[in-house]
């Protein structure tokens, strides 16, 4: 019955280094989301996975950002050649599959991890 | 693209006063969700509204979904210090992608 787990909880690295952030979703959750939140700001959508595929990568800020999900479970968000503007809290969330009704369908509530606080020096 | 606007950005209230945050979407939504993020914490799901004109209550919190399914509000009656945090609305148009509003940060003075 564990929730969404993210690691590391904190990461400090030098500008130009690559970082890898990990997200372990709730078991059985089909959808997985990555968001970025700067201090005192809202949630910036980065990418979501439906199973292992990522239908929408439009939120990734640049080609330095990539993400993958394997086995319909764990996901990693990789940032290459980090820049200072990449400093933020990176949040992962997971949810059950969409609800499909007779007329419409909608996404289910998202369960968030505690995030990874990334600091680029 | 789809946008979800949320106002106000900040709200300072005296404990016991009421509080309302409003959410407006540029497109018709399938559903809208509300989340609360305590300072230093992560967003926590509060409620989901699906039907046009739907109203739901959770103790002192009242959530409304507009008739056109393009706007929503969260009203807190008689705020308490435990209500402090940022309240986000999140709109969905049927796919997996959900667009979050910028949030309303609530400050409650005892």
């Amino acid at each position: 019955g564990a929730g969404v787990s993210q690691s590391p909880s904190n990461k400090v690295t030098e500008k130009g280094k690559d970082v890898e952030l990990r997200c372990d979703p709730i078991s059985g959750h089909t959808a997985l989301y990555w968001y970025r939140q700067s201090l005192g700001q809202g949630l910036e959508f980065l990418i979501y996975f439906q199973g292992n595929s990522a239908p929408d990568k439009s939120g990734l800020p640049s080609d330095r950002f990539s993400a993958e999900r394997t086995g319909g479970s764990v996901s990693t968000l990789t940032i290459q050649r980090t820049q200072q503007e990449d400093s933020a809290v990176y949040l992962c969330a997971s949810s059950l599959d969409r609800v499909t009704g007779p007329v419409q369908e909608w996404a289910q509530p998202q369960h968030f991890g505690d995030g990874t606080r990334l600091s680029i020096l | 693209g789809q946008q979800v606007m949320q106002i106000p950005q900040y709200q300072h209230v005296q404990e016991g006063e009421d509080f309302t945050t409003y959410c407006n979407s540029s497109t018709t939504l399938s559903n809208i969700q509300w989340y609360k993020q305590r300072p230093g914490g992560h967003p926590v799901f509060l409620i989901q509204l699906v039907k046009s004109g739907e109203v739901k209550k959770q103790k002192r919190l009242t959530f409304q979904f507009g008739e056109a399914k393009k706007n929503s509000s969260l009203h807190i009656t008689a705020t308490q210090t435990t209500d402090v945090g940022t309240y986000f609305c999140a709109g969905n148009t049927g796919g997996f992608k959900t667009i979050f509003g910028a949030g309303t940060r609530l400050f409650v003075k005892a």
Side-chain angles (χ1 to χ4, degrees):
Chain A
V4 177
S5 178
Q6 290 188 247
S7 61
S9 54
N10 285 283
K11 177 72 175 179
V12 181
T13 192
E14 292 179 347
K15 176 183 173 181
K17 300 287 188 182
D18 297 352
V19 295
E20 191 173 276
L21 312 181
R22 176 188 169 106
C23 174
D24 203 340
I26 293 173
S27 177
H29 278 194
T30 306
L32 185 147
Y33 309 79
W34 284 99
Y35 297 91
R36 180 167 70 176
Q37 187 174 35
S38 299
L39 186 63
Q41 301 301 307
L43 300 175
E44 178 187 1
F45 168 81
L46 298 178
I47 190 171
Y48 82 85
F49 288 89
Q50 181 180 347
N52 290 334
S53 65
D56 188 347
K57 301 180 181 179
S58 63
L60 294 177
S62 73
D63 58 8
R64 296 187 295 105
F65 288 72
S66 63
E68 65 174 14
R69 188 180 185 193
T70 55
S73 181
V74 173
S75 175
T76 54
L77 176 69
T78 302
I79 309 173
Q80 296 178 310
R81 305 181 302 282
T82 52
Q83 302 294 313
Q84 288 188 330
E85 60 263 28
D86 299 334
S87 297
V89 174
Y90 289 81
L91 289 163
C92 174
S94 69
S95 75
L96 293 168
D97 202 351
R98 287 169 296 177
V99 174
T100 302
V103 177
Q104 61 177 353
E105 59 183 22
W106 56 86
Q108 298 247 40
Q110 297 180 30
H111 300 261
F112 284 83
D114 289 333
T116 293
R117 183 174 300 277
L118 178 64
S119 300
I120 309 299
L121 302 179
Chain B
Q2 181 192 356
Q3 290 187 346
V4 175
M5 308 299 293
Q6 191 173 354
I7 57 170
Q9 188 176 4
Y10 301 95
Q11 184 79 59
H12 293 257
V13 300
Q14 194 74 32
E15 188 175 26
E17 292 181 338
D18 292 355
F19 160 77
T20 305
T21 173
Y22 301 90
C23 197
N24 287 284
S25 169
S26 58
T27 58
T28 302
L29 300 171
S30 294
N31 70 337
I32 195 156
Q33 299 166 350
W34 284 91
Y35 295 79
K36 177 183 178 181
Q37 185 175 26
R38 293 180 184 276
H42 58 264
V44 174
F45 172 75
L46 293 177
I47 207 161
Q48 175 167 272
L49 304 171
V50 178
K51 299 176 183 177
S52 171
E54 189 169 14
V55 178
K56 286 189 175 181
K57 293 189 176 184
Q58 288 181 349
K59 297 183 180 179
R60 295 177 296 103
L61 278 61
T62 301
F63 304 84
Q64 293 186 327
F65 201 10
E67 294 289 341
K69 301 185 73 173
K70 296 181 74 172
N71 58 73
S72 181
S73 65
L74 158 60
H75 180 82
I76 302 178
T77 303
T79 54
Q80 301 175 357
T81 54
T82 53
D83 296 327
V84 165
T86 302
Y87 293 85
F88 293 98
C89 62
N92 176 253
T93 55
F96 277 100
K97 186 175 179 179
T98 299
I99 302 298
F100 279 75
T104 296
R105 190 166 181 183
L106 174 63
F107 299 86
V108 180
K109 185 176 181 181

